[in-house]
């Protein structure tokens, strides 16, 4: 019998997001469980050294170091993946605590996503617009399963099969960039996330107190980083066009 559950990643000290967590729980299509996010401020040097390696020799090379908040975020998603495995679920629906569900839309696309998750493993529900030029993999009514290239950033909401969770946990015992950056690298992980459109979720970061990951940087530093980010993204686009042998999630 298929088993599904929702997991909401929530940082305890983000009190302004508690109401949003309650709203997600009330609108979740499955029983929901709150995953206490890893607080990057509380990570010791030993904690960081156990999972973060700035030079993993992956290509393209990530141009930035990770701050403790980004490391905590990655570990939080790994904790959600681990629960999918430990609870022997067919798939887990993982939310960050700054998203809003539109129940009318989401109830339709989550049913389609359930049918697709066994084969594709990791299905995103994007809070940003999806590029028009995406490969259409399948349709179900007015719901489309799309494969953007490159894979879209952000991990606001996603349905993850147990097989995909096991695979991701193995592939990310060490990491050198944020979680959504790793998920773009199908040529490394063997897993290529896809997404559904319409998604039925929206971003409420601003309304819930702003990002918990952002740090203030001088204007010049910010400009240099933007240039480095642009160069890196161009490399990701180039790598995304390479052929690769994907992991097979079906029987």
């Amino acid at each position: 019998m298929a088993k599904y559950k929702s997991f909401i990643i929530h940082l305890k000290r983000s009190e302004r997001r508690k109401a949003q967590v309650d709203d997600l729980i009330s609108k979740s299509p499955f029983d929901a469980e709150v995953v206490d996010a890893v607080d990057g401020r509380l990570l010791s040097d030993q904690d960081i050294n156990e999972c973060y390696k700035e030079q993993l020799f992956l290509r393209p090379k990530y141009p930035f170091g990770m701050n403790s908040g980004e490391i905590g975020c990655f570990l939080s998603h790994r904790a959600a993946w681990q629960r999918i495995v430990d609870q022997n679920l067919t798939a887990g629906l993982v939310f960050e605590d700054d998203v809003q569900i539109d129940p009318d839309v989401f109830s339709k696309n989550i049913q389609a996503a359930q049918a697709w998750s066994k084969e594709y493993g990791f299905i995103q529900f994007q809070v940003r617009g999806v590029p028009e030029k995406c490969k259409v993999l399948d349709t179900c009514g007015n719901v489309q399963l799309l494969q953007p290239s490159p894979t879209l950033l952000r991990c606001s909401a996603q349905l993850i099969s147990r097989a995909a969770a096991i695979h991701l946990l193995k592939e990310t015992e060490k990491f050198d960039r944020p979680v959504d950056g790793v998920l773009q690298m199908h040529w490394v992980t063997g897993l290529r996330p896809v997404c559904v459109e319409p998604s039925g979720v929206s971003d409420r970061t601003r309304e819930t107190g702003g990002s918990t990951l952002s740090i203030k940087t001088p204007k010049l530093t910010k400009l240099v980083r933007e240039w480095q980010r642009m160069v890196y993204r161009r490399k990701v686009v180039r790598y995304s066009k390479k052929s690769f042998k994907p992991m097979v999630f079906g029987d």
Side-chain angles (χ1 to χ4, degrees), residues 17 20 96-101 125-128 154 156 199-208 210-211:
R17 294 190 178 181
Q20 191 63 37
E96 293 184 339
D97 62 0
D98 55 358
V99 301
Q100 177 82 42
I101 293 176
F125 302 86
Q126 280 291 328
V127 296
R128 293 175 174 170
R154 305 198 73 160
S156 302
S199 73
V201 298
S202 56
D203 180 36
R204 286 183 56 81
T205 303
R206 182 176 300 177
E207 294 87 346
T208 54
S211 173

PDB file of all heavy atoms in Angstrom, residues 17 20 96-101 125-128 154 156 199-208 210-211:
ATOM      1  N   ARG A  17       7.248  32.629  11.364  1.00  0.00           N
ATOM      2  CA  ARG A  17       6.808  31.637  10.383  1.00  0.00           C
ATOM      3  C   ARG A  17       5.932  30.546  10.991  1.00  0.00           C
ATOM      4  O   ARG A  17       5.456  29.664  10.274  1.00  0.00           O
ATOM      5  CB  ARG A  17       8.021  31.002   9.695  1.00  0.00           C
ATOM      6  CG  ARG A  17       8.799  31.995   8.841  1.00  0.00           C
ATOM      7  CD  ARG A  17       9.834  31.319   7.978  1.00  0.00           C
ATOM      8  NE  ARG A  17      10.517  32.295   7.134  1.00  0.00           N
ATOM      9  CZ  ARG A  17      11.467  31.989   6.257  1.00  0.00           C
ATOM     10  NH1 ARG A  17      11.835  30.734   6.110  1.00  0.00           N
ATOM     11  NH2 ARG A  17      12.034  32.934   5.533  1.00  0.00           N
ATOM     12  N   GLN A  20       2.596  30.302   9.420  1.00  0.00           N
ATOM     13  CA  GLN A  20       2.671  29.726   8.077  1.00  0.00           C
ATOM     14  C   GLN A  20       2.812  28.210   8.157  1.00  0.00           C
ATOM     15  O   GLN A  20       2.245  27.493   7.328  1.00  0.00           O
ATOM     16  CB  GLN A  20       3.856  30.330   7.321  1.00  0.00           C
ATOM     17  CG  GLN A  20       3.869  30.014   5.840  1.00  0.00           C
ATOM     18  CD  GLN A  20       2.670  30.595   5.113  1.00  0.00           C
ATOM     19  OE1 GLN A  20       2.228  31.693   5.429  1.00  0.00           O
ATOM     20  NE2 GLN A  20       2.130  29.853   4.168  1.00  0.00           N
ATOM     21  N   GLU A  96       9.515  23.880   2.536  1.00  0.00           N
ATOM     22  CA  GLU A  96      10.131  24.863   3.405  1.00  0.00           C
ATOM     23  C   GLU A  96       9.006  25.706   3.998  1.00  0.00           C
ATOM     24  O   GLU A  96       7.889  25.743   3.458  1.00  0.00           O
ATOM     25  CB  GLU A  96      11.134  25.707   2.617  1.00  0.00           C
ATOM     26  CG  GLU A  96      12.334  24.886   2.163  1.00  0.00           C
ATOM     27  CD  GLU A  96      13.408  25.696   1.452  1.00  0.00           C
ATOM     28  OE1 GLU A  96      13.083  26.797   0.946  1.00  0.00           O
ATOM     29  OE2 GLU A  96      14.556  25.229   1.386  1.00  0.00           O
ATOM     30  N   ASP A  97       9.271  26.369   5.100  1.00  0.00           N
ATOM     31  CA  ASP A  97       8.180  26.987   5.869  1.00  0.00           C
ATOM     32  C   ASP A  97       7.780  28.376   5.395  1.00  0.00           C
ATOM     33  O   ASP A  97       7.055  29.075   6.107  1.00  0.00           O
ATOM     34  CB  ASP A  97       8.541  27.034   7.359  1.00  0.00           C
ATOM     35  CG  ASP A  97       9.772  27.889   7.650  1.00  0.00           C
ATOM     36  OD1 ASP A  97      10.353  28.440   6.692  1.00  0.00           O
ATOM     37  OD2 ASP A  97      10.151  27.994   8.833  1.00  0.00           O
ATOM     38  N   ASP A  98       8.221  28.774   4.206  1.00  0.00           N
ATOM     39  CA  ASP A  98       7.862  30.091   3.697  1.00  0.00           C
ATOM     40  C   ASP A  98       7.031  30.000   2.421  1.00  0.00           C
ATOM     41  O   ASP A  98       7.019  30.914   1.605  1.00  0.00           O
ATOM     42  CB  ASP A  98       9.112  30.938   3.443  1.00  0.00           C
ATOM     43  CG  ASP A  98      10.111  30.257   2.517  1.00  0.00           C
ATOM     44  OD1 ASP A  98       9.848  29.120   2.097  1.00  0.00           O
ATOM     45  OD2 ASP A  98      11.154  30.876   2.214  1.00  0.00           O
ATOM     46  N   VAL A  99       6.331  28.860   2.241  1.00  0.00           N
ATOM     47  CA  VAL A  99       5.503  28.699   1.049  1.00  0.00           C
ATOM     48  C   VAL A  99       4.026  28.650   1.428  1.00  0.00           C
ATOM     49  O   VAL A  99       3.659  28.350   2.566  1.00  0.00           O
ATOM     50  CB  VAL A  99       5.876  27.436   0.244  1.00  0.00           C
ATOM     51  CG1 VAL A  99       7.328  27.487  -0.192  1.00  0.00           C
ATOM     52  CG2 VAL A  99       5.601  26.177   1.041  1.00  0.00           C
ATOM     53  N   GLN A 100       3.203  28.956   0.437  1.00  0.00           N
ATOM     54  CA  GLN A 100       1.758  28.965   0.587  1.00  0.00           C
ATOM     55  C   GLN A 100       1.155  27.990  -0.418  1.00  0.00           C
ATOM     56  O   GLN A 100       1.551  27.975  -1.591  1.00  0.00           O
ATOM     57  CB  GLN A 100       1.208  30.376   0.309  1.00  0.00           C
ATOM     58  CG  GLN A 100      -0.303  30.502   0.365  1.00  0.00           C
ATOM     59  CD  GLN A 100      -0.799  30.651   1.784  1.00  0.00           C
ATOM     60  OE1 GLN A 100      -0.204  31.375   2.584  1.00  0.00           O
ATOM     61  NE2 GLN A 100      -1.877  29.972   2.104  1.00  0.00           N
ATOM     62  N   ILE A 101       0.212  27.180   0.022  1.00  0.00           N
ATOM     63  CA  ILE A 101      -0.468  26.236  -0.866  1.00  0.00           C
ATOM     64  C   ILE A 101      -1.792  26.835  -1.333  1.00  0.00           C
ATOM     65  O   ILE A 101      -2.550  27.398  -0.546  1.00  0.00           O
ATOM     66  CB  ILE A 101      -0.762  24.905  -0.142  1.00  0.00           C
ATOM     67  CG1 ILE A 101       0.532  24.159   0.183  1.00  0.00           C
ATOM     68  CG2 ILE A 101      -1.659  24.012  -0.994  1.00  0.00           C
ATOM     69  CD1 ILE A 101       0.308  22.878   0.974  1.00  0.00           C
ATOM     70  N   PHE A 125       7.842  21.614  -7.075  1.00  0.00           N
ATOM     71  CA  PHE A 125       6.721  22.534  -7.211  1.00  0.00           C
ATOM     72  C   PHE A 125       7.318  23.926  -7.049  1.00  0.00           C
ATOM     73  O   PHE A 125       7.668  24.340  -5.947  1.00  0.00           O
ATOM     74  CB  PHE A 125       5.661  22.268  -6.141  1.00  0.00           C
ATOM     75  CG  PHE A 125       5.118  20.864  -6.174  1.00  0.00           C
ATOM     76  CD1 PHE A 125       5.768  19.845  -5.490  1.00  0.00           C
ATOM     77  CD2 PHE A 125       3.985  20.556  -6.908  1.00  0.00           C
ATOM     78  CE1 PHE A 125       5.285  18.546  -5.520  1.00  0.00           C
ATOM     79  CE2 PHE A 125       3.493  19.257  -6.950  1.00  0.00           C
ATOM     80  CZ  PHE A 125       4.145  18.248  -6.253  1.00  0.00           C
ATOM     81  N   GLN A 126       7.473  24.615  -8.149  1.00  0.00           N
ATOM     82  CA  GLN A 126       8.222  25.872  -8.150  1.00  0.00           C
ATOM     83  C   GLN A 126       7.371  27.059  -7.688  1.00  0.00           C
ATOM     84  O   GLN A 126       6.183  27.148  -7.993  1.00  0.00           O
ATOM     85  CB  GLN A 126       8.762  26.150  -9.546  1.00  0.00           C
ATOM     86  CG  GLN A 126      10.021  25.374  -9.888  1.00  0.00           C
ATOM     87  CD  GLN A 126      11.231  25.838  -9.101  1.00  0.00           C
ATOM     88  OE1 GLN A 126      11.355  27.000  -8.749  1.00  0.00           O
ATOM     89  NE2 GLN A 126      12.147  24.922  -8.825  1.00  0.00           N
ATOM     90  N   VAL A 127       8.013  27.992  -6.958  1.00  0.00           N
ATOM     91  CA  VAL A 127       7.348  29.225  -6.550  1.00  0.00           C
ATOM     92  C   VAL A 127       7.654  30.350  -7.533  1.00  0.00           C
ATOM     93  O   VAL A 127       7.069  31.422  -7.444  1.00  0.00           O
ATOM     94  CB  VAL A 127       7.764  29.650  -5.125  1.00  0.00           C
ATOM     95  CG1 VAL A 127       7.304  28.618  -4.110  1.00  0.00           C
ATOM     96  CG2 VAL A 127       9.277  29.862  -5.034  1.00  0.00           C
ATOM     97  N   ARG A 128       8.576  30.111  -8.452  1.00  0.00           N
ATOM     98  CA  ARG A 128       8.894  31.066  -9.508  1.00  0.00           C
ATOM     99  C   ARG A 128       8.342  30.559 -10.829  1.00  0.00           C
ATOM    100  O   ARG A 128       8.017  29.374 -10.965  1.00  0.00           O
ATOM    101  CB  ARG A 128      10.410  31.249  -9.632  1.00  0.00           C
ATOM    102  CG  ARG A 128      11.059  31.911  -8.437  1.00  0.00           C
ATOM    103  CD  ARG A 128      12.558  31.938  -8.609  1.00  0.00           C
ATOM    104  NE  ARG A 128      13.235  32.672  -7.559  1.00  0.00           N
ATOM    105  CZ  ARG A 128      14.549  32.684  -7.379  1.00  0.00           C
ATOM    106  NH1 ARG A 128      15.327  32.006  -8.209  1.00  0.00           N
ATOM    107  NH2 ARG A 128      15.098  33.379  -6.388  1.00  0.00           N
ATOM    108  N   ARG A 154      15.950  26.447  -6.163  1.00  0.00           N
ATOM    109  CA  ARG A 154      14.991  26.548  -5.060  1.00  0.00           C
ATOM    110  C   ARG A 154      14.424  25.181  -4.700  1.00  0.00           C
ATOM    111  O   ARG A 154      14.143  24.357  -5.557  1.00  0.00           O
ATOM    112  CB  ARG A 154      13.869  27.550  -5.324  1.00  0.00           C
ATOM    113  CG  ARG A 154      14.382  28.932  -5.679  1.00  0.00           C
ATOM    114  CD  ARG A 154      13.345  30.010  -5.521  1.00  0.00           C
ATOM    115  NE  ARG A 154      13.065  30.313  -4.121  1.00  0.00           N
ATOM    116  CZ  ARG A 154      12.503  31.451  -3.709  1.00  0.00           C
ATOM    117  NH1 ARG A 154      12.164  32.392  -4.577  1.00  0.00           N
ATOM    118  NH2 ARG A 154      12.272  31.665  -2.445  1.00  0.00           N
ATOM    119  N   SER A 156      11.639  24.904  -2.443  1.00  0.00           N
ATOM    120  CA  SER A 156      10.484  25.331  -1.645  1.00  0.00           C
ATOM    121  C   SER A 156       9.520  24.188  -1.378  1.00  0.00           C
ATOM    122  O   SER A 156       8.969  24.073  -0.284  1.00  0.00           O
ATOM    123  CB  SER A 156       9.759  26.475  -2.362  1.00  0.00           C
ATOM    124  OG  SER A 156      10.627  27.557  -2.575  1.00  0.00           O
ATOM    125  N   SER A 199       2.088  24.891 -10.374  1.00  0.00           N
ATOM    126  CA  SER A 199       2.644  24.279  -9.176  1.00  0.00           C
ATOM    127  C   SER A 199       1.670  24.262  -8.001  1.00  0.00           C
ATOM    128  O   SER A 199       1.679  23.343  -7.193  1.00  0.00           O
ATOM    129  CB  SER A 199       3.927  24.999  -8.762  1.00  0.00           C
ATOM    130  OG  SER A 199       3.641  26.270  -8.216  1.00  0.00           O
ATOM    131  N   GLY A 200       0.874  25.322  -7.872  1.00  0.00           N
ATOM    132  CA  GLY A 200      -0.040  25.394  -6.735  1.00  0.00           C
ATOM    133  C   GLY A 200       0.597  25.880  -5.457  1.00  0.00           C
ATOM    134  O   GLY A 200      -0.026  25.842  -4.393  1.00  0.00           O
ATOM    135  N   VAL A 201       1.855  26.349  -5.529  1.00  0.00           N
ATOM    136  CA  VAL A 201       2.505  26.916  -4.347  1.00  0.00           C
ATOM    137  C   VAL A 201       3.085  28.283  -4.696  1.00  0.00           C
ATOM    138  O   VAL A 201       3.419  28.548  -5.851  1.00  0.00           O
ATOM    139  CB  VAL A 201       3.624  25.998  -3.791  1.00  0.00           C
ATOM    140  CG1 VAL A 201       3.070  24.663  -3.345  1.00  0.00           C
ATOM    141  CG2 VAL A 201       4.728  25.791  -4.816  1.00  0.00           C
ATOM    142  N   SER A 202       3.188  29.132  -3.710  1.00  0.00           N
ATOM    143  CA  SER A 202       3.738  30.468  -3.908  1.00  0.00           C
ATOM    144  C   SER A 202       4.665  30.817  -2.748  1.00  0.00           C
ATOM    145  O   SER A 202       4.617  30.197  -1.679  1.00  0.00           O
ATOM    146  CB  SER A 202       2.620  31.512  -4.021  1.00  0.00           C
ATOM    147  OG  SER A 202       1.771  31.467  -2.890  1.00  0.00           O
ATOM    148  N   ASP A 203       5.494  31.820  -2.972  1.00  0.00           N
ATOM    149  CA  ASP A 203       6.516  32.228  -2.002  1.00  0.00           C
ATOM    150  C   ASP A 203       5.969  33.288  -1.050  1.00  0.00           C
ATOM    151  O   ASP A 203       5.369  34.264  -1.477  1.00  0.00           O
ATOM    152  CB  ASP A 203       7.722  32.765  -2.769  1.00  0.00           C
ATOM    153  CG  ASP A 203       8.844  33.209  -1.846  1.00  0.00           C
ATOM    154  OD1 ASP A 203       9.036  32.552  -0.820  1.00  0.00           O
ATOM    155  OD2 ASP A 203       9.518  34.202  -2.156  1.00  0.00           O
ATOM    156  N   ARG A 204       6.215  33.089   0.242  1.00  0.00           N
ATOM    157  CA  ARG A 204       5.804  34.072   1.251  1.00  0.00           C
ATOM    158  C   ARG A 204       6.981  34.465   2.147  1.00  0.00           C
ATOM    159  O   ARG A 204       6.816  34.779   3.316  1.00  0.00           O
ATOM    160  CB  ARG A 204       4.654  33.522   2.097  1.00  0.00           C
ATOM    161  CG  ARG A 204       3.321  33.504   1.363  1.00  0.00           C
ATOM    162  CD  ARG A 204       2.186  33.024   2.250  1.00  0.00           C
ATOM    163  NE  ARG A 204       2.057  33.798   3.467  1.00  0.00           N
ATOM    164  CZ  ARG A 204       1.441  34.979   3.558  1.00  0.00           C
ATOM    165  NH1 ARG A 204       0.913  35.529   2.477  1.00  0.00           N
ATOM    166  NH2 ARG A 204       1.359  35.605   4.722  1.00  0.00           N
ATOM    167  N   THR A 205       8.194  34.452   1.559  1.00  0.00           N
ATOM    168  CA  THR A 205       9.380  34.781   2.334  1.00  0.00           C
ATOM    169  C   THR A 205       9.281  36.179   2.942  1.00  0.00           C
ATOM    170  O   THR A 205       9.546  36.378   4.135  1.00  0.00           O
ATOM    171  CB  THR A 205      10.646  34.697   1.454  1.00  0.00           C
ATOM    172  OG1 THR A 205      10.734  33.393   0.902  1.00  0.00           O
ATOM    173  CG2 THR A 205      11.886  34.983   2.279  1.00  0.00           C
ATOM    174  N   ARG A 206       8.908  37.154   2.134  1.00  0.00           N
ATOM    175  CA  ARG A 206       8.846  38.538   2.611  1.00  0.00           C
ATOM    176  C   ARG A 206       7.805  38.690   3.715  1.00  0.00           C
ATOM    177  O   ARG A 206       8.037  39.349   4.729  1.00  0.00           O
ATOM    178  CB  ARG A 206       8.513  39.470   1.446  1.00  0.00           C
ATOM    179  CG  ARG A 206       8.479  40.943   1.822  1.00  0.00           C
ATOM    180  CD  ARG A 206       8.243  41.818   0.610  1.00  0.00           C
ATOM    181  NE  ARG A 206       9.298  41.650  -0.383  1.00  0.00           N
ATOM    182  CZ  ARG A 206       9.298  42.258  -1.565  1.00  0.00           C
ATOM    183  NH1 ARG A 206       8.299  43.049  -1.921  1.00  0.00           N
ATOM    184  NH2 ARG A 206      10.302  42.066  -2.398  1.00  0.00           N
ATOM    185  N   GLU A 207       6.647  38.048   3.533  1.00  0.00           N
ATOM    186  CA  GLU A 207       5.568  38.181   4.508  1.00  0.00           C
ATOM    187  C   GLU A 207       5.871  37.462   5.822  1.00  0.00           C
ATOM    188  O   GLU A 207       5.251  37.753   6.845  1.00  0.00           O
ATOM    189  CB  GLU A 207       4.264  37.626   3.922  1.00  0.00           C
ATOM    190  CG  GLU A 207       3.717  38.417   2.741  1.00  0.00           C
ATOM    191  CD  GLU A 207       4.314  37.965   1.413  1.00  0.00           C
ATOM    192  OE1 GLU A 207       5.331  37.225   1.423  1.00  0.00           O
ATOM    193  OE2 GLU A 207       3.763  38.356   0.362  1.00  0.00           O
ATOM    194  N   THR A 208       6.816  36.516   5.783  1.00  0.00           N
ATOM    195  CA  THR A 208       7.127  35.752   6.989  1.00  0.00           C
ATOM    196  C   THR A 208       8.473  36.124   7.606  1.00  0.00           C
ATOM    197  O   THR A 208       9.092  35.322   8.296  1.00  0.00           O
ATOM    198  CB  THR A 208       7.107  34.243   6.683  1.00  0.00           C
ATOM    199  OG1 THR A 208       7.985  33.967   5.576  1.00  0.00           O
ATOM    200  CG2 THR A 208       5.697  33.784   6.338  1.00  0.00           C
ATOM    201  N   GLY A 210      11.327  37.509   5.911  1.00  0.00           N
ATOM    202  CA  GLY A 210      12.525  37.544   5.083  1.00  0.00           C
ATOM    203  C   GLY A 210      13.334  36.273   5.179  1.00  0.00           C
ATOM    204  O   GLY A 210      13.038  35.368   5.954  1.00  0.00           O
ATOM    205  N   SER A 211      14.387  36.202   4.373  1.00  0.00           N
ATOM    206  CA  SER A 211      15.224  35.011   4.317  1.00  0.00           C
ATOM    207  C   SER A 211      15.996  34.818   5.613  1.00  0.00           C
ATOM    208  O   SER A 211      16.469  35.773   6.228  1.00  0.00           O
ATOM    209  CB  SER A 211      16.212  35.121   3.147  1.00  0.00           C
ATOM    210  OG  SER A 211      17.134  34.056   3.174  1.00  0.00           O
TER     211      SER A 211
END
